[in-house]
Amino acid sequence: MSRQLVFATNNQYKTDEVRTLLAGQYEVLNLSDIGCTADIPETADTFAGNAELKSSFVVEKYGLDCFADDSGLEVEALDNEPGIYSARYSGERGDAANMQLVLQKMEGRENRKARFRTVISLIRDRRKFLFEGIISGTLRERPAGTNGFGYDPVFQPDGYTQTFAEMSLEEKNKISHRAIAMQKLIDFLREEVV
């Protein structure tokens, strides 16, 4: 019989992807599956801290093992902003406004190095584990592409000629920061299953 594991997300696509990868070993549930409608606070000052707040909330409230992620864009020339504020950098939750603010702050700057970072916090059997994924690249001066979300139209990963938004979802998911962190989590969970 497979163990239950909660993914602290409401994103059904992300849930289904992990369910497929862990089929037969874990029954992966998301927040709606366990009836969690709370707006879980993300008040830490690091990605790891925010991910841990979310996974701890589920463990404490529902008594179920859980993993959660937090991620964002870090721009070298902006002292790693927007960082943990990536989703609300402009003061609102709007991809276009956030992206415009970053581009505005980057006007005239030569150093366009940036990276996406994801940290996953897993709490299983009351033990805590962290998994990190980073992909480095550069910021374009203008958006390109219509796929993806967030800062994808201006982020070009190192070694590629396209932005994340110009790639297919399948291509992006093979190399993204989230994919790297998730693969580390999946590998760990597969090894740990007795």
Side-chain angles (χ1 to χ4, degrees):
M1 188 170 128
S2 54
R3 295 174 62 168
Q4 287 188 329
L5 182 65
V6 178
F7 185 0
T9 184
N10 286 307
N11 185 316
Q12 194 60 48
Y13 172 78
K14 285 178 11 180
T15 307
D16 290 344
E17 186 178 47
V18 178
R19 268 188 190 140
T20 302
L21 292 167
L22 292 173
Q25 296 169 314
Y26 286 90
E27 178 189 356
V28 179
L29 309 170
N30 62 24
L31 293 176
S32 63
D33 293 330
I34 62 170
C36 178
T37 56
D39 188 12
I40 303 171
E42 295 179 46
T43 53
D45 57 3
T46 63
F47 294 123
N50 280 332
E52 199 169 307
L53 281 174
K54 291 187 272 188
S55 57
S56 294
F57 180 90
V58 171
V59 170
E60 287 165 21
K61 276 260 199 244
Y62 297 89
L64 296 166
D65 290 345
C66 178
F67 70 94
D69 67 332
D70 194 37
S71 59
L73 177 71
E74 298 176 327
V75 181
E76 192 173 282
L78 301 179
D79 294 324
N80 290 329
E81 285 185 10
I84 59 166
Y85 304 106
S86 293
R88 54 195 181 280
Y89 193 47
S90 64
E92 55 189 74
R93 277 193 175 267
D95 290 350
N98 291 331
M99 187 168 48
Q100 271 316 118
L101 182 57
V102 166
L103 290 177
Q104 182 184 328
K105 287 187 172 190
M106 286 300 291
E107 279 179 21
R109 295 184 189 249
E110 282 185 37
N111 178 1
R112 307 212 48 102
K113 290 181 185 174
R115 66 183 171 218
F116 272 118
R117 179 192 303 266
T118 291
V119 178
I120 296 173
S121 163
L122 167 68
I123 301 177
R124 202 182 64 174
D125 300 327
R126 297 282 172 187
R127 291 167 53 220
K128 297 177 181 182
F129 306 91
L130 291 175
F131 307 90
E132 183 177 67
I134 294 173
I135 184 160
S136 297
T138 54
L139 283 186
R140 294 261 193 99
E141 291 183 12
R142 281 177 294 289
T146 55
N147 298 328
F149 61 94
Y151 301 93
D152 287 356
V154 293
F155 182 81
Q156 180 178 314
D158 288 345
Y160 294 83
T161 57
Q162 297 175 303
T163 66
F164 268 170
E166 292 175 297
M167 297 178 176
S168 71
L169 190 60
E170 189 178 41
E171 286 175 295
K172 177 192 166 187
N173 285 345
K174 285 181 182 171
I175 64 166
S176 79
H177 49 300
R178 187 170 284 107
I180 293 166
M182 197 60 78
Q183 193 56 56
K184 289 177 182 177
L185 169 72
I186 299 296
D187 291 345
F188 174 81
L189 289 171
R190 284 179 174 161
E191 286 172 17
E192 289 290 302
V193 169
V194 180

